[in-house]
Amino acid sequence: MNYAVYIPLIPLLPLVGFILAGGLGKKYLRSFSGTLCTGIMLVVTLLSLYTAWRYFMADGQWNGVYQKITAVQVSWLEFSPGVGIDMGIVLDPISVMMLVVVSVVSLMVHCFSLGYMKGEDRYSTYYAFLGLFTFSMLGLVVAVNIFQIYMFWELVGVSSYLLIGFYYQKPAAVAAAKKAFIVTRFADLGFLVGILILGIQGQTLNFDTLIQRLTDTQSARFMAITTGSFLGVSLLTWALALVFAGGAGKSAMFPLHIWLPDAMEGPTPVSALIHAATMVVAGVYLIARLFPLFALNAVVLELITWIGVLSAVFAAVIACTQTDIKRVLAYSTMSQIGYMMFALGIAAADGHGYTASLFHLFTHAFFKSLLFLGAGAVIHWVHSNDMKDMGGLRKLMPLTHICFLIACLAIAGIPPFAGFFSKEGILLAAWENNRVVYYIALLTSGLTAFYMFRLYFSIFWRKPADGGHTHSEGTWTMKLPLVLLAALSTGAGFIPFAHYVTPDGRGRTEHLHLLFSIAPVLLALCGIGIAAWLFKKASAQPVKLAQQLGGLYRAAAQRFYIDEVYMFITKKIIFKGIGRPAAWIDKHIVDGLMNGIASATAGLSARIRGLQSGRVQDYALYFFGGIITLAIVLLYVWR
């Protein structure tokens, strides 16, 4: 079967679900809209898995190299010969891998939502938004053109706005949706400018052609983009830094991360979709897609490395102090995306970081979505997000308990769970390329184990089970995704990922370095042990420790006041310091000058309009008066 026959169905079927659920759901489909959209996602997932099997096992490799296959390409807008926006679908190792990740996680979220969102007033609308979100992300990952990726990039932003603000009657949800939309728009402006620079210099918007032209060090285009400069910085550096800014905003990297914790105001299954497989990994995917260009510029790679490292440790420290379980997981996501980013930043030398970064993206999608869906099941049980309202749930929610524990072990990097293999790859790449980054990442991995098991013990242990609860863990549609994701979180690490995904498309075999793994695993076990000592049983130790840490703990609990800094800059400096004076100048000087001219003109007109009386005798008088005046001037003044 030709790829072009069925590949377009993968992104288009969720769009069909969006149209049906959004247009007909409320009036005709009602509760059936969830089943319909979940069935559509099941078909999409099966097609994605078939595509992955066929690409990796059958006809994607030629002469030992995985090829880029353009399954569909349609010329949409042509600006000049060779420069235009094409709409199409490209298959290569990272796009095929992302098809699997997005479709599988989206299917799990659709299925889980059948029980979690049952009875919601806007049930069909919710599924319509999920379909739009999935369509946007699938269109993004298979884009053949850098402007096509930008259009779907913006659609992802719109979809996230709709889902985060789903409970629009809650002011906090509306504020969170606006915050996410506005912050990412600032980053996307940089992305757009970067696209324009690359497109103008490369004279194309097609990914392959652009990379080919701008990586040819002997070409005139390469010389132009590397020697041309603005403010002393080359155009290539500017373009790549601005593209990274767009990725950093979408992936919630410091300092553009402030929207991520507030995005928890949306339904919990939405958080699983945003944080596991779609919006936040879009930035990592973008850097990986343009990696041959980034590999040419050490300055931008260094920027990516240190932004990633700072984001990882910064978010991990904050996560240690949060009490809202969804916020803990949100900062955990930011920290793990930081791992992926700095792995790409140090990948230019040997490519190991590239493979490790995308492997961690792959495994993280499963255990992070499992964590969010498990948190959703817990919230569904206790009707609260606060860890203080939880505890002792391991006997009341045995399935959720086991699945959540598996996810915690995976993200902590404990073998043989999936996160161990991908995180070890990143740490090994850091050890080989930048020891300072390695030690910071190692510390962060210990913090990850601590805050995740702080969360685990606070939810499932700490106090005796409350026998007053009699309802079940949820419907089978809520339990099945947990079991499937737990299986993936356990077994995905055994996939020989480096055989399929590398920077040059040539598969290679990577070996596990057991001696190297001793330090990270021991540090993770220490983090788990400390969390068990502090939180497995109710005690005063956590409060005492927080008091001993003093200002550091308070600052971390308040997210290091980054939101307050943004509000100060926005309200005090931009609105009051710049906006108000600008408004006064606009009102009193610009508008005042124009209004003054208009008033003067109107006043003069009112005074002289009597001259146009329509009476001939008045005009004759003016005429002779003019003649007399001219005669006096000529005779007595102008001699």
Side-chain angles (χ1 to χ4, degrees):
M1 185 186 294
N2 192 308
Y3 281 112
V5 174
Y6 69 91
I7 281 289
L9 294 176
I10 295 176
L12 290 179
L13 281 176
L15 180 62
V16 172
F18 162 70
I19 294 171
L20 291 177
L24 305 176
K26 190 172 183 179
K27 187 174 182 180
Y28 299 105
L29 300 176
R30 295 185 178 88
S31 60
F32 181 70
S33 57
T35 305
L36 174 65
C37 292
T38 304
I40 288 174
M41 274 312 305
L42 177 60
V43 175
V44 170
T45 303
L46 293 175
L47 289 174
S48 297
L49 291 172
Y50 172 72
T51 301
W53 174 83
R54 183 177 168 188
Y55 179 83
F56 287 119
M57 303 300 175
D59 52 12
Q61 197 175 46
W62 188 70
N63 286 341
V65 179
Y66 285 104
Q67 304 296 312
K68 286 189 177 180
I69 300 173
T70 303
V72 178
Q73 184 159 347
V74 178
S75 181
W76 183 46
L77 286 176
E78 187 169 349
F79 305 121
S80 62
V83 181
I85 300 177
D86 296 335
M87 303 297 287
I89 296 175
V90 64
L91 300 179
D92 65 354
I94 60 172
S95 65
V96 173
M97 180 270 293
M98 287 299 295
L99 282 179
V100 172
V101 168
V102 173
S103 58
V104 168
V105 174
S106 183
L107 174 62
M108 297 298 102
V109 170
H110 275 72
C111 184
F112 186 88
S113 299
L114 288 174
Y116 189 87
M117 298 297 290
K118 186 178 180 180
E120 287 284 345
D121 290 338
R122 301 170 67 229
Y123 183 76
S124 58
T125 303
Y126 169 81
Y127 272 96
F129 291 166
L130 282 185
L132 179 63
F133 200 111
T134 306
F135 161 71
S136 304
M137 193 65 196
L138 290 170
L140 187 154
V141 300
V142 298
V144 298
N145 184 287
I146 196 170
F147 214 91
Q148 179 187 345
I149 208 173
Y150 180 76
M151 290 188 290
F152 282 100
W153 188 275
E154 294 305 310
L155 267 178
V156 169
V158 172
S159 307
S160 66
Y161 172 81
L162 296 173
L163 284 169
I164 294 168
F166 178 75
Y167 297 120
Y168 63 91
Q169 66 274 23
K170 293 171 55 180
V174 174
K178 291 192 293 184
K179 188 175 185 180
F181 191 79
I182 292 169
V183 171
T184 52
R185 292 294 72 71
F186 280 104
D188 292 351
L189 174 61
F191 182 22
L192 178 59
V193 175
I195 287 173
L196 295 176
I197 295 173
L198 292 175
I200 290 169
Q201 295 298 314
Q203 287 298 296
T204 183
L205 293 172
N206 182 274
F207 276 118
D208 291 341
T209 309
L210 183 70
I211 291 172
Q212 180 184 2
R213 289 178 178 177
L214 296 183
T215 55
D216 182 2
T217 56
Q218 304 301 316
S219 69
R221 291 186 178 92
F222 175 82
M223 296 300 294
I225 199 171
T226 52
T227 57
S229 65
F230 177 70
L231 297 177
V233 179
S234 73
L235 291 178
L236 180 62
T237 302
W238 274 113
L240 295 179
L242 289 168
V243 169
F244 170 64
K250 197 71 80 180
S251 292
M253 293 289 93
F254 180 89
L256 299 173
H257 66 281
I258 58 170
W259 65 268
L260 191 64
D262 295 324
M264 299 299 99
E265 292 294 338
T268 303
V270 167
S271 302
L273 194 58
I274 292 176
H275 288 254
T278 53
M279 188 167 176
V280 294
V281 299
V284 178
Y285 176 81
L286 177 65
I287 307 303
R289 171 59 70 199
L290 292 172
F291 186 75
L293 289 178
F294 281 93
L296 296 173
N297 196 288
V299 174
V300 179
L301 285 179
E302 196 77 7
L303 175 66
I304 294 172
T305 299
W306 289 107
I307 290 293
V309 169
L310 177 60
S311 299
V313 68
F314 177 82
V317 171
I318 295 176
C320 292
T321 64
Q322 301 300 299
T323 59
D324 185 311
I325 62 172
K326 290 174 69 175
R327 287 182 182 269
V328 173
L329 295 178
Y331 281 108
S332 169
T333 298
M334 177 182 169
S335 183
Q336 298 305 304
I337 299 294
Y339 265 91
M340 301 173 205
M341 281 293 188
F342 79 69
L344 287 173
I346 60 177
D350 53 20
H352 289 171
Y354 177 94
T355 300
S357 173
L358 294 177
F359 191 20
H360 198 53
L361 186 157
F362 180 75
T363 61
H364 174 264
F366 302 129
F367 58 71
K368 183 51 64 67
S369 56
L370 176 57
L371 286 168
F372 269 108
L373 294 184
V378 170
I379 294 169
H380 191 260
W381 181 284
V382 300
H383 304 292
S384 173
N385 291 16
D386 201 312
M387 289 157 49
K388 297 175 183 177
D389 300 326
M390 301 170 189
L393 294 179
R394 68 188 185 281
K395 293 182 180 179
L396 300 174
M397 306 182 70
L399 178 66
T400 305
H401 167 238
I402 293 299
C403 294
F404 202 90
L405 176 60
I406 289 172
C408 288
L409 290 169
I411 195 173
I414 302 299
F417 300 96
F420 164 74
F421 297 96
S422 57
K423 189 175 286 188
E424 291 305 289
I426 292 177
L427 291 174
L428 181 59
W431 173 263
E432 293 173 345
N433 294 283
N434 192 318
R435 295 292 173 86
V436 176
V437 170
Y438 166 76
Y439 287 116
I440 298 174
L442 185 63
L443 171 64
T444 305
S445 69
L447 290 173
T448 301
F450 169 75
Y451 68 68
M452 285 310 306
F453 277 85
R454 168 181 175 262
L455 181 62
Y456 164 74
F457 286 120
S458 297
I459 295 173
F460 296 102
W461 293 76
R462 197 178 57 173
K463 64 183 182 181
D466 183 2
H469 290 287
T470 57
H471 58 281
S472 68
E473 291 184 73
T475 63
W476 71 267
T477 59
M478 294 173 66
K479 295 175 182 177
L480 180 61
L482 297 181
V483 174
L484 294 176
L485 289 171
L488 289 169
S489 299
T490 304
F494 293 99
I495 295 174
F497 197 80
H499 182 73
Y500 305 113
V501 180
T502 58
D504 57 4
R506 297 180 183 275
R508 62 171 182 263
T509 301
E510 290 191 346
H511 301 284
L512 184 65
H513 300 75
L514 293 177
L515 290 177
F516 177 81
S517 301
I518 292 174
V521 173
L522 283 178
L523 193 59
L525 291 174
C526 288
I528 294 172
I530 295 171
W533 172 58
L534 290 173
F535 300 101
K536 189 176 180 180
K537 294 182 180 180
S539 71
Q541 288 299 327
V543 176
K544 290 181 180 178
L545 182 60
Q547 291 173 346
Q548 290 172 357
L549 292 173
L552 176 61
Y553 184 90
R554 289 192 297 273
Q558 294 298 320
R559 297 174 282 183
F560 291 102
Y561 303 101
I562 300 297
D563 285 74
E564 286 77 5
V565 171
Y566 270 102
M567 292 304 295
F568 175 80
I569 293 173
T570 302
K571 290 188 174 182
K572 301 296 183 182
I573 297 178
I574 297 178
F575 289 174
K576 290 186 178 180
I578 299 175
R580 281 188 180 178
W584 187 90
I585 292 171
D586 182 63
K587 182 178 181 180
H588 293 90
I589 296 180
V590 178
D591 289 351
L593 178 61
M594 294 300 101
N595 292 336
I597 293 172
S599 298
T601 304
L604 179 61
S605 300
R607 286 176 172 77
I608 66 174
R609 65 186 176 186
L611 298 176
Q612 297 292 332
S613 62
R615 293 183 294 182
V616 176
Q617 56 269 36
D618 289 343
Y619 298 154
L621 180 63
Y622 302 152
F623 177 75
F624 286 115
I627 292 175
I628 293 170
T629 302
L630 285 174
I632 293 172
V633 169
L634 291 174
L635 292 174
Y636 298 102
V637 180
W638 195 345
R639 293 186 177 183

